[in-house]
Every structure is written in C-alpha cells, then in structure tokens.
C-alpha cells in the first residue's frame, strides 16, 4: 500500500473520530439520550438487514462490469439519505406549529437523490473516457 493511501486513511479516520466525538458531546444536551441510541440502533439494524442486501442485489442484477462499485456506492448513499429523510417524509400534512419541519422535504429529498445519481453518472463516464484514452495511447 502506498504512503499516500495510508496518509489518506489516517486523515479520514481522524476526521471520523472527531465527528464521532462531536456527536457524542451533542448527546449530552438531548433530553432523552436513550431514545437517540434506540433510533441509531434501529437505523443500523435496518441498514444491515434491508438496505445493504438490497443494494448488493440490485447492483448485481442491474449493473455489469466496472461501474458496479460506483453504482453500489450511490445506492448506499441513496439508502442512507432515505433513512435520514424518513421522519419528515412520513409526517406530511398540516402541523399545529408551522415552524416545525417548514421545508418541502419530499422535493429536497428527490433533489438530493438526483444529485447523487448525477455525480455517479459523471464519475462512471469520466472513468470510461479515461479508460478509452488509455487504450488508444500507443505503447512506447
């Protein structure tokens, strides 16, 4: 493994630990931290029992070749975004307090999913162009 990859992994790991510490520190201000832990455990269980197997199956059935990895990654991101968006998506309709969930969450969720799809298509296309250029280059 190259030194660059190792440095990247160390930096990414340190950033992840810093974000984890920030999240744990925010739990101190939550009135019922047990409810948050239960919600997080449910999210992990839902991911492992439903989202990850579905992503792997869809990636296996739909995509062939080298683009399978990016598509699976995009599906995982879409699944995670959907999990995060579920509470406001499942509470449509009028609210007693209009300042609670004031945005158009279904529209924003769809825009975010479209952005994930666009980035994935652009990435796969860039890889294909790069691969085609590499194949056309004469060997020296």
């Amino acid at each position: 493994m190259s030194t660059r990859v190792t440095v990247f992994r160390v930096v990414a790991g340190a950033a992840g630990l810093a974000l984890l510490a920030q999240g744990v520190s925010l739990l101190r201000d939550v009135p019922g931290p047990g409810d948050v832990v239960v919600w997080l455990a449910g999210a992990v269980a839902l991911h492992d029992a439903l989202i990850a197997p579905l992503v792997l199956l869809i990636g296996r059935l739909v995509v062939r070749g080298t683009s399978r990895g990016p598509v699976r990654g995009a599906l995982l991101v879409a699944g995670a975004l959907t999990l995060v968006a579920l509470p406001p998506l499942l509470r449509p309709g009028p609210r007693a307090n209009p300042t609670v969930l004031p945005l158009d969450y279904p529209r924003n969720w769809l825009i975010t999913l479209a952005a994930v799809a666009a980035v994935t298509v652009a990435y796969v296309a860039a890889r294909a162009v790069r691969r085609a250029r590499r194949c056309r280059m004469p060997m020296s």
Side-chain angles (χ1 to χ4, degrees), residues 3-22:
T3 305
R4 211 162 103 189
V5 172
T6 304
V7 169
F8 175 76
R9 286 184 177 184
V10 169
V11 169
L17 288 174
L19 290 172
L20 180 67
Q22 172 67 19

Side-chain angles (χ1 to χ4, degrees), residues 92-115:
R95 291 167 199 80
N97 183 352
T99 62
V100 175
L101 302 176
L103 303 175
D104 186 359
Y105 289 95
R107 184 201 65 199
N108 294 343
W109 172 68
L110 289 173
I111 289 170
T112 307
L113 291 180

Side-chain angles (χ1 to χ4, degrees), residues 60 83 85-86 89 97 134 136 138:
R60 182 116 175 121
L83 273 179
L86 271 181
L89 289 174
N97 183 352
R134 208 177 311 137
R136 276 190 264 146

Side-chain angles (χ1 to χ4, degrees), residues 105-133:
Y105 289 95
R107 184 201 65 199
N108 294 343
W109 172 68
L110 289 173
I111 289 170
T112 307
L113 291 180
V116 169
V119 167
T120 303
V121 167
Y123 178 77
V124 169
R127 276 183 23 171
V129 167
R130 202 174 333 126
R131 192 175 306 114
R133 283 184 184 164

Side-chain angles (χ1 to χ4, degrees), residues 40-126:
L40 287 173
V44 169
L46 184 63
H47 174 271
D48 290 350
L50 183 69
I51 292 176
L54 275 175
V55 163
L56 294 175
L57 180 65
I58 291 169
R60 182 116 175 121
L61 295 175
V62 174
V63 183
R64 300 274 182 240
T66 60
S67 60
R68 185 178 287 166
V71 170
R72 283 182 174 173
L75 289 170
L76 282 173
V77 170
L81 286 170
T82 302
L83 273 179
V84 170
L86 271 181
L89 289 174
L90 295 177
R91 287 195 201 180
R95 291 167 199 80
N97 183 352
T99 62
V100 175
L101 302 176
L103 303 175
D104 186 359
Y105 289 95
R107 184 201 65 199
N108 294 343
W109 172 68
L110 289 173
I111 289 170
T112 307
L113 291 180
V116 169
V119 167
T120 303
V121 167
Y123 178 77
V124 169

